């Protein structure tokens, strides 16, 4: 979502004459777009901002802006802590960003805008001047979250759920496809509740409408909350060939006691049922998940239940995180905090299991042919390779051995025979 928002910053600042540069040292304006979902992300943002101090010393004209979730969370406190920051703008302020920059250029008085009141403008971040866009693009369909999982800061820094108009979304996808995109990932904190509040069409209907866009090859989405995975969404997997053979369905924990304290509103059994429903229509669907280890009160038995669930589901990939206290999130005040040592050990164990499962799954693709959407190329030890992703979201590197195509494959969906499954990618040859 931050990638999408950053594209929007570029677009709104272009009329003022700002264009992206490759090196931060060459910039007249630096925007640090931040994430605060976990403590580590916030620390990274502050350490990067720290580097801006030296830059500003060298070039006092430099404008330093901080946007996104950390800006939303800290507001004007950032100016006190880091006096070299000029602009602080929150998660819903991008429509006002150009005006903020213009004002600052004029009077050099720092500006803070963390207003949450403004809804989504239907501006799209597609660059107006650039002829082509990447093969795979994000499209935000909704912002904010109403779920209030007990560990999570998102509802506080991204605000309440708001869905964009479906016509505007479909138009944005059409425009992207016209500029060269072949795949879109529809983004929202909880895509399943798309449109409900506003009485717009529901998420499966939106998928249907997007899938009718001619020239679009693939649709992905993130993120679906397991509690809301509806029969309608399962039907979309059954009916829409453009919908990729993958779902990212964050379970967070395999222990019912922990899930309850997390306020996830489903049990392990509910989760397994949802997966069965999906497998009934897509038997080979690839499943990935987010996991938190060391949630307050998590016992060894709870953690074992997580390992057990990971094995039972056979995830093909996991993003696992050590629990960290976040401001506003109720779990920050929960008893039974798990020691750093235990969190580190549990994380390592979970990640080992993930590597094992991912490799196992990748090896199972060897000897099969997968459809790859080509997104680029690289040279490895003097050998030219195309790169792309399979429908099940595996990274695939392949050569043209014996079948040189003199054309550019980027943006094309091509069959690739998989020779080797590696821990985190597949290697093959063009069929
Ligand atoms: N501590 C650790 N991980 C967290 N996540 C969200 N909040 C926290 C937290 N306080 C993880 C969840 C979520 C992902 C985006 O970040 O797994 O799905
Ligand atoms: Fe955070 Fe839960 Fe909302 Fe996801 S669904 S953004 S974890 S509150």
């Amino acid at each position: 979502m931050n990638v999408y928002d950053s594209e929007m910053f570029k677009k709104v600042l272009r009329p003022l004459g700002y264009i992206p540069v490759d090196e931060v040292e060459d910039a007249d304006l630096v925007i640090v777009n931040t994430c605060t979902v976990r403590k580590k992300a916030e620390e990274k943002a502050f350490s990067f901002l720290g580097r801006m101090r030296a830059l500003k010393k060298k070039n006092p004209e430099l404008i330093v802006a901080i946007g996104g979730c950390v800006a939303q969370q800290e507001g004007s406190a950032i100016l006190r802590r880091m006096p070299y920051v000029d602009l602080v703008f929150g998660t819903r302020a991008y429509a006002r960003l150009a005006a903020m920059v213009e004002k600052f250029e004029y009077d050099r008085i720092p500006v803070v805008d963390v207003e949450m009141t403004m809804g989504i403008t239907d501006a799209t971040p597609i660059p107006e001047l650039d002829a082509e866009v990447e093969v795979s693009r994000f499209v935000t369909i909704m912002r904010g979250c109403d779920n209030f999982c007990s560990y999570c800061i998102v509802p506080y820094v991204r605000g309440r759920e708001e869905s964009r108009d479906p016509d505007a979304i479909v138009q944005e996808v059409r425009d992207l496809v016209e500029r060269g995109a072949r795949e879109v990932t529809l983004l929202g904190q909880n895509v399943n509740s798309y449109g409900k509040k506003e009485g717009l069409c529901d998420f499966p209907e939106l998928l249907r409408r997007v899938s009718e866009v001619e020239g679009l090859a693939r649709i992905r989405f993130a993120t679906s909350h397991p509690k809301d995975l509806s029969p309608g969404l399962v039907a979309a997997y059954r009916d829409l060939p453009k919908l990729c053979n993958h779902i990212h369905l964050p379970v967070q924990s395999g222990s019912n006691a922990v899930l309850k304290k997390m306020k996830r509103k489903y049990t392990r059994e509910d989760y397994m049922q949802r997966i069965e429903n999906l497998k009934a229509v897509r038997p080979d669907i690839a499943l990935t998940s987010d996991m938190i280890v060391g949630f307050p009160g998590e016992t060894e038995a709870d953690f074992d239940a997580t390992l057990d669930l990971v094995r039972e589901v056979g995830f093909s990939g996991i993003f696992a995180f050590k629990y960290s206290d976040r401001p506003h999130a109720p779990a920050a005040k929960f008893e039974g905090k798990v020691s750093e040592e235990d969190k580190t050990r549990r994380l390592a164990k979970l990640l080992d299991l993930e590597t094992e499962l991912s490799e196992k799954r990748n090896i199972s693709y060897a000897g099969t042919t997968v459809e790859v959407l080509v997104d680029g190329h690289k040279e490895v030890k003097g050998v030219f390779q195309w790169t792309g992703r399979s429908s099940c979201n595996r990274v695939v590197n392949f050569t043209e051995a014996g079948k040189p195509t003199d054309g550019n494959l980027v943006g094309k969906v091509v069959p690739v025979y998989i020779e080797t499954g590696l821990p985190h990618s597949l290697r093959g040859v063009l069929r």
Side-chain angles (χ1 to χ4, degrees):
M1 202 160 263
N2 273 6
V3 170
Y4 183 89
D5 288 350
S6 297
E7 289 289 322
M8 196 76 94
F9 305 162
K10 280 196 247 172
K11 180 168 171 180
V12 299
L13 292 175
R14 214 180 264 254
L16 301 190
Y18 288 98
I19 52 162
V21 287
D22 293 332
E23 302 296 331
V24 69
E25 284 76 15
D26 299 332
D28 299 311
L29 162 70
V30 176
I31 301 178
V32 187
N33 194 11
T34 57
C35 172
T36 184
V37 72
R38 295 175 297 275
K39 197 163 185 190
K40 211 165 159 187
E42 184 184 339
E43 286 166 358
K44 274 190 195 165
F46 278 120
S47 102
F48 186 83
L49 267 174
R51 281 173 50 201
M52 297 306 107
R53 178 198 212 131
L55 278 183
K56 185 112 180 188
K57 240 188 195 153
K58 264 198 241 157
N59 172 15
E61 292 295 301
L62 177 71
I63 304 176
V64 177
I66 170 166
C69 294
V70 174
Q72 189 68 50
Q73 178 191 311
E74 301 289 319
S76 50
I78 291 176
L79 296 183
R80 288 194 290 278
R81 183 169 161 187
M82 304 183 156
Y84 51 90
V85 171
D86 303 308
L87 307 174
V88 177
F89 64 101
T91 50
R92 297 203 181 189
Y94 64 77
R96 301 182 293 273
L97 179 60
M100 286 171 80
V101 172
E102 249 180 337
K103 183 175 175 302
F104 186 81
E105 284 172 339
Y106 177 71
D107 62 15
R108 307 294 291 185
I109 298 171
V111 193
V112 177
D113 181 343
V114 287
E115 282 291 315
M116 268 292 194
T117 48
M118 195 205 72
I120 296 159
T121 67
D122 250 302
T124 66
I126 305 173
E128 271 157 341
L129 303 175
D130 299 354
E132 277 199 22
V133 299
E134 298 88 348
V135 168
S136 181
R137 290 279 297 206
F138 294 122
V139 174
T140 288
I141 62 166
M142 60 196 300
R143 289 171 184 267
C145 183
D146 291 350
N147 279 316
F148 294 92
C149 301
S150 65
Y151 51 81
C152 187
I153 195 173
V154 168
Y156 308 96
V157 289
R158 287 236 171 225
R160 294 297 84 74
E161 259 171 40
E162 258 183 38
S163 298
R164 285 182 63 197
D165 178 58
D167 292 337
I169 295 168
V170 172
Q171 189 55 47
E172 182 167 336
V173 175
R174 266 199 214 109
D175 291 345
L176 285 168
V177 170
E178 215 163 89
R179 302 285 188 93
R182 302 297 315 286
E183 172 180 281
V184 290
T185 302
L186 306 180
L187 296 180
Q189 307 297 343
N190 180 17
V191 293
N192 307 95
S193 53
Y194 172 81
K196 282 197 182 138
K197 233 187 215 175
E198 292 83 358
L200 303 167
C201 73
D202 64 6
F203 183 58
E205 176 59 23
L206 180 71
L207 285 173
R208 265 168 231 277
R209 292 189 52 186
V210 169
S211 123
E212 280 161 16
V213 172
E214 240 172 84
L216 180 71
R218 288 179 171 180
I219 307 171
R220 302 185 186 276
F221 61 84
T223 299
S224 166
H225 193 303
K227 80 175 161 60
D228 300 322
L229 202 158
S230 62
L233 186 60
V234 175
Y237 271 102
R238 183 193 62 210
D239 301 338
L240 304 177
K242 289 185 186 178
L243 189 54
C244 285
N245 206 17
H246 166 229
I247 187 165
H248 182 65
L249 198 60
V251 62
Q252 313 295 2
S253 168
S255 150
N256 280 336
V258 174
L259 287 172
K260 191 152 188 222
K261 282 189 220 154
M262 286 178 164
K263 271 186 65 194
R264 290 291 287 176
K265 302 191 185 103
Y266 55 81
T267 61
R268 177 191 175 118
E269 292 72 28
D270 297 332
Y271 187 84
M272 290 311 300
Q273 185 57 53
R274 303 287 191 283
I275 287 181
E276 286 314 309
N277 299 346
L278 281 167
K279 283 191 172 163
V281 296
R282 294 263 186 124
D284 54 351
I285 191 164
L287 298 149
T288 56
S289 184
D290 292 349
M291 296 287 182
I292 297 177
V293 300
F295 185 79
E298 185 189 71
T299 60
E300 281 305 317
D302 291 323
F303 175 64
D304 285 343
T306 294
L307 293 176
D308 182 67
L309 177 83
V310 169
R311 270 196 213 96
E312 187 177 348
V313 176
F315 289 112
S316 59
I318 289 170
F319 299 93
F321 311 105
K322 287 189 222 175
Y323 167 80
S324 54
D325 284 339
R326 306 310 297 127
H328 311 292
K333 298 203 177 78
F334 286 5
E335 312 229 309
K337 292 281 157 63
V338 176
S339 72
E340 193 57 32
E341 205 185 339
D342 282 342
K343 283 196 257 188
T344 304
R345 183 177 44 79
R346 288 178 195 172
L347 183 71
K349 210 165 168 185
L350 184 54
L351 291 177
D352 279 351
L353 177 61
E354 117 88 22
T355 307
E356 180 193 318
L357 290 176
S358 162
E359 186 168 16
K360 211 171 180 184
R361 176 139 184 144
N362 282 356
I363 288 171
S364 78
Y365 289 113
T368 68
T369 297
V370 298
E371 298 283 312
V372 176
L373 172 59
V374 185
D375 55 26
H377 49 75
K378 59 181 180 186
E379 214 151 289
V380 181
K381 292 182 192 145
V383 180
F384 181 89
Q385 288 187 356
W386 294 103
T387 61
R389 278 180 189 263
S390 65
S391 170
C392 55
N393 213 24
R394 303 274 96 180
V395 171
V396 183
N397 298 309
F398 66 98
T399 58
E400 296 179 8
K403 264 203 144 190
T405 60
D406 36 9
N408 183 2
L409 295 186
V410 173
K412 297 206 164 70
V413 178
V414 296
V416 174
Y417 178 76
I418 303 302
E419 292 178 321
T420 320
L422 301 167
H424 289 106
S425 66
L426 303 174
R427 199 186 293 149
V429 287
L430 185 66
R431 261 244 119 113

